[in-house]
């Protein structure tokens, strides 16, 4: 009850202040009037009565003040007073205030920017109902044949068995990607299509905006001509027509019925690159033949866990089923496992370590900023010691002094936070611009409520962190000492200087950690740039010739088309060489296939070695300057009907024929068993998927002209990537080449135009960006540390002017004085460096996954970082030291 | 004019609680009531009365409300709460013990020490 009473009274004190004051006014008024009335009745004249009543009452204003204080509003009043006082002090010292606010704003801004990325990418739930229950299912391939590959697509038959045999899931759906060209409605345009087995939309708990999703049984053959549109496509290509449902549209020259339109927020699968979002969904209609395929792994699988089932339980169940399937179908499934990965981990698992490292880095930057501000406040507080002492002498409590000091740094921190938000706003724009194509959900990055709350929170923390040391020093004010000391100059202040030294040491240590971290990343990036990708990227432009599925019905038609394209391009001036490949190097795409080597004991499919298989045209080696090491390349004689020819990579030759020549050896591709193929040439190794791949990929190239539909399946036309080596700047050639392709067949879109240099650069962009950010943070940290050391050294020099004067007067040389000052700065830097190196050893261990070609303990980086820091610290203490050196003993001694 | 005693520190609260225990009163009324009971032997700073009232109200020992005074004016009346009643009792006992002890000490003759 009493608590309630107090809260009510505080409440009124804060929010109904004027009401309380009015009431008080009336009450005191009543008192005076009542007294006057009494005096009048006892015969005193009214005017005199009023005067006496007032006199008896005493100081009216003082009483009011006391009344308000008695209400308990005082602690808030004090706070307001402290804040006002703090604001006034800040105004009076604009230089100090600017420094402190800027330091905090940089620290808080960096934190806010990185947090807003972490928030959108790692923390915010995925945009589905109960997203924690969604998992991605993958095969775990046998490690002997697929070294280093942890997750692999799923085959239809295995998917169907998983779906029918598991109890852990509410639903499970497989999907594959394709591209479909819309015609008959304005310009032809190719869309990214996701083919899904039934139940996909219900697994995601996603409701279409219009129409419906696919219902059970619609993934049977015969229903496949149905399509669900994304909101964007519906608005853009169909003018948001609400009657679109039930209408037919033409995709890849076949009629599809639109059965639904998804809402604007729906996205599946979530793409790392927002410009590659899925635009349409159609049923994945497997024929009975397709459903029986167990050995060809081409599909991704998403599933929803039943309520109360943990991922681990589902994993156990999948393990059991995988074991059973391996026993049941040993020739296809031996060694093949399954793994359930929470959907979010599947999406962001790759970027999480880098983001967490950056988050750690900005926390360090903020700590340095706090130490810096603490130092500035401490130094400033020393000049106010006398004021503090007077306040203590006049009865200010320790708590009150502490509160006052904290109020000031909190004010600084919140000013810094506000400015930091501005910095963060621009920082986020930059981050999104640079990283949009590599960061899942980057379109969701924004300074939302959570981020603002975070900023407010860290501003508060930063205010406390920066204010605690100064506050406790202020509260420790010794009245006698301080008052005796006049202006407090030239006297020992050992406690305070120890605190400042400690802060400088920690600034040095923290910034060295960041410097070394950034140094390791810079070295890694440099090493990555030194990597030979196996081809010559300069002067090569590439583009996708996106032949729609169903465009050609016979392989010969497709081969004829591509030959015409190549012939046409080779006649263009400036073109030195041109060739085609199904998947360009340094892209995520690519096919791995089992092979059987002739003359070796036949084994089941599951035990066959796997190699990367690429389809190429004549001219590809020349266009990419892929070195031919032995034998011959693919030429115009390698066509259907002629003996099958293949090129293999150097690493494949060494892997399969370590002690003999590989040329002339024969092998059979498991999926193209029509004829054995002869190794006719050996080419250099190429980085197939990423510049930083460490495994040399055994690769087999076979001629496009000898491609037939795998294992007698129906032929489906497909796109190829064109690589053109030009004499001129490759960018300028791109449009000429594109037009030439268009001339051959206007119905075939050309897309994804890039120079090979761009592709290398793009493939390194995440590393580069992490490096740039960490480098920027390290630079910021260094700057803050330098400012800290500079201000502390300058301050101590100015305090010791007197001492320096005496030293010089007693015969110390200028150099002695210089060294005296510098030695102190270097001592701090040395201690800081030792601690910083220890910290960097811990940090770099966490960073191991981000490094390439450099050890986390790389001595060169550590030494360079420490030396660089020492030099900077030397410079920062040299300037004030020179000032000390120039001290004129006469002036200095007169100073007091 | 009889000599008035200065109020001992901390005793004003007690007097207010006692005054209001006899019925709701406004500020001036409390002053009058104390004067009446003490037969004007105590000097109370009028200015210090109101801070004390506000403090006691904040602590929940008295509550206040607006009412009509004897001469038909709006006035703020204070009333003792249950907690205030207990407080008054405790304070009274403490005061009595204290005065006994102090009086005992003061009445001690030199030869008794």
């Amino acid at each position: 009850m009493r608590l309630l009473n107090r809260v009510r009274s505080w409440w009124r004190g804060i929010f109904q202040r004027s009401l309380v004051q009015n009431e008080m006014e009336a009450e005191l008024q009543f008192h005076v009037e009542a007294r006057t009335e009494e005096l009048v009745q006892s015969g005193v004249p009214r005017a005199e009565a009023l005067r006496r009543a007032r006199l008896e009452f005493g100081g009216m204003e003082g009483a009011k003040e006391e009344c308000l204080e008695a209400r308990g509003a005082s602690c808030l009043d004090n706070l307001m007073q402290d804040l006002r006082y703090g604001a006034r002090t800040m105004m009076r010292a604009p230089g100090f205030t600017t420094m402190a606010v800027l330091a905090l704003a940089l620290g808080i801004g960096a934190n806010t920017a990185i947090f807003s990325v972490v928030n959108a990418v790692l923390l915010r739930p995925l945009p589905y109902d109960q997203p924690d229950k969604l998992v991605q299912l993958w095969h775990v391939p046998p490690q002997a044949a697929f070294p280093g590959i942890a997750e692999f697509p799923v085959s239809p038959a295995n998917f169907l068995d998983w779906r029918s045999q598991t109890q852990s899931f509410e639903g499970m759906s497989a999907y594959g990607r394709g591209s479909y060209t819309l015609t008959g409605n304005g310009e032809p345009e190719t869309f990214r299509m996701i083919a899904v087995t039934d139940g996909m939309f219900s697994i995601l708990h996603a409701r279409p905006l219009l129409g419906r999703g696919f219902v059970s049984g619609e993934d049977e053959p015969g229903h496949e001509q149905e399509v669900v549109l994304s909101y964007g496509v519906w608005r853009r290509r169909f003018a948001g027509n609400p009657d679109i449902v039930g209408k037919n549209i033409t995709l890849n020259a076949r009629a599809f019925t639109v059965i639904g339109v998804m809402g604007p927020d729906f996205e599946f699968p979530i793409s790392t690159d927002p410009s590659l979002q899925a635009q349409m969904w159609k049923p994945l209609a497997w024929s009975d033949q397709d459903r029986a395929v167990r050995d060809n792994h081409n599909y991704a699988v998403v599933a929803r866990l039943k309520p109360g089932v943990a991922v681990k339980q589902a994993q156990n169940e999948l393990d059991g089923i995988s074991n059973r399937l391996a026993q049941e179908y040993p020739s296809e499934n031996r060694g093949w496992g399954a793994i359930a990965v929470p959907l979010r981990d599947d999406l962001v698992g790759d970027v999480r370590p880098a983001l967490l490292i950056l988050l750690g880095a900005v926390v360090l930057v903020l700590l340095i900023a706090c130490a810096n501000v603490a130092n500035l406040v401490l130094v400033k507080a020393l000049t106010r010691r006398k004021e503090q002492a007077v306040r203590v002498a006049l009865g200010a409590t320790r708590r009150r002094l502490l509160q006052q000091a904290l109020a000031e740094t909190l004010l600084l921190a919140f000013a810094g936070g506000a400015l930091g938000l501005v910095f963060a706003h621009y920082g986020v724009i930059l981050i999104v611009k640079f990283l949009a194509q590599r960061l899942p959900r980057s379109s969701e990055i924004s300074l939302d409520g959570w981020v603002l709350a975070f900023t407010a929170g860290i501003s508060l923390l930063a205010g406390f962190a920066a204010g605690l040391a100064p506050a406790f020093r202020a509260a420790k004010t010794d009245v006698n000492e301080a008052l005796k000391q006049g202006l407090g100059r030239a006297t020992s202040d050992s406690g305070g200087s120890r605190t400042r030294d400690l802060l400088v040491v920690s600034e040095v240590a923290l910034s060295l950690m960041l410097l070394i971290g950034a140094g390791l990343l810079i070295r890694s990036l440099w090493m990555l740039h030194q990597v030979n990708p196996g081809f010559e990227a300069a002067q090569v432009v590439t583009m996708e010739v996106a032949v729609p599925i169903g465009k050609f019905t016979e392989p010969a038609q497709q081969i004829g088309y591509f030959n015409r394209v190549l012939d046409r391009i080779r006649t263009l001036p400036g073109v030195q060489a041109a060739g085609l490949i199904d998947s360009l190097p340094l892209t995520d795409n690519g096919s791995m296939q089992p092979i059987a080597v002739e003359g070796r004991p036949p084994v089941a499919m599951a035990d066959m070695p796997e190699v990367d298989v690429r389809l190429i045209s004549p001219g590809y080696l020349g266009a990419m300057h892929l070195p031919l090491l032995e034998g011959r390349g693919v030429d115009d004689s390698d066509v259907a009907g002629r003996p099958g020819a293949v090129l293999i990579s150097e690493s494949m030759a060494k892997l399969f024929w370590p002690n003999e020549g590989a040329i002339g050896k024969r092998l059979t591709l498991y999926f193209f068993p029509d004829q054995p193929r002869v190794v006719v040439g050996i080419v250099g190794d190429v980085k197939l998927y990423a510049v930083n791949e460490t495994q040399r990929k055994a690769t087999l190239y076979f001629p496009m002209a000898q491609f037939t539909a795998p294992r007698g399946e129906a032929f489906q036309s497909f796109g190829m990537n064109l690589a053109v080596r030009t004499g001129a700047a490759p960018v300028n050639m791109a449009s000429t080449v594109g037009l030439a392709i268009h001339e051959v067949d206007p119905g075939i879109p050309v897309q994804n135009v890039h120079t090979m240099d761009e592709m290398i650069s793009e493939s390194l962009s995440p590393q580069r960006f992490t490096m740039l950010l960490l480098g920027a943070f390290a630079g910021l940290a260094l700057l803050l540390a330098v400012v800290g050391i500079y201000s502390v050294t300058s301050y101590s020099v100015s305090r010791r002017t007197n001492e320096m004067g005496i030293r010089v007067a007693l015969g110390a040389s200028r150099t002695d004085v210089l060294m005296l000052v510098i030695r102190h700065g270097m001592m701090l830097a040395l201690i800081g460096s030792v601690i910083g190196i220890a910290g960097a050893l811990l940090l770099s261990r966490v960073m191991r996954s981000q490094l390439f070609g450099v050890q986390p303990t790389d001595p060169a980086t550590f030494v360079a970082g420490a030396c660089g820091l020492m030099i900077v610290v030397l410079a920062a203490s040299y300037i004030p030291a020179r000032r000390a050196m120039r001290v004129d003993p006469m002036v200095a001694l007169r100073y007091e | 004019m009889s000599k008035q005693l200065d109020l001992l520190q901390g005793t004003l609260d007690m007097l207010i609680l006692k005054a209001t225990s006899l019925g709701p009163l406004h500020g001036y009324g409390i002053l009058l009531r104390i004067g009446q009971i003490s037969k004007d032997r105590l000097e109370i700073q009028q200015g210090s009365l109101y801070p004390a009232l506000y403090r006691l109200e904040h602590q929940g020992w008295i509550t206040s409300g607006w009412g009509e005074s004897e001469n038909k004016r709006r006035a703020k009346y204070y009333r003792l709460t249950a907690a205030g009643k207990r407080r008054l009792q405790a304070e009274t006992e403490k005061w009595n013990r204290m005065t006994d002890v102090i009086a005992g000490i003061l009445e001690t003759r030199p030869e008794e020490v």
Side-chain angles (χ1 to χ4, degrees), chain A residues 318-378:
Chain A
L318 283 171
D319 288 343
I321 292 171
S322 294
N323 284 337
R324 276 210 302 282
L325 291 175
Q327 278 163 18
E328 212 171 323
Y329 309 100
S331 72
E332 291 96 351
N333 269 21
R334 187 171 336 136
W336 287 78
I339 187 170
V341 187
L343 193 56
R344 189 213 297 266
D345 293 352
D346 194 68
L347 194 61
V348 300
D350 295 341
V351 295
R352 183 177 283 139
L355 283 182
L356 292 182
I357 286 170
L358 288 176
L359 195 63
V362 289
V363 169
L364 294 189
V365 170
L366 184 59
L367 281 178
I368 296 173
C370 288
N372 217 322
V373 172
N375 241 333
L376 287 171
V377 174
L378 271 177

Side-chain angles (χ1 to χ4, degrees), chain A residues 186-230:
Chain A
E187 273 288 291
E189 186 181 346
T190 304
F191 292 103
R192 290 175 295 279
M193 175 77 82
I194 304 295
V196 300
T197 62
D198 67 11
M200 168 70 73
F201 293 111
S202 56
I203 288 170
L204 299 175
H205 293 179
R207 283 179 202 291
L209 186 68
L210 295 175
R212 57 178 178 84
F214 307 116
V215 295
S216 180
E218 271 188 324
D219 55 0
E220 302 289 329
H223 288 281
E224 58 203 298
Q225 309 303 94
E226 290 179 339
V227 67
V228 172
L229 305 179
S230 77

Side-chain angles (χ1 to χ4, degrees), chain A residues 331 334 595-597 600-609 670:
Chain A
S331 72
R334 187 171 336 136
I595 60 164
V597 175
R600 300 196 181 168
V603 291
M605 179 269 180
D607 298 324
M608 286 183 182
Y670 176 78

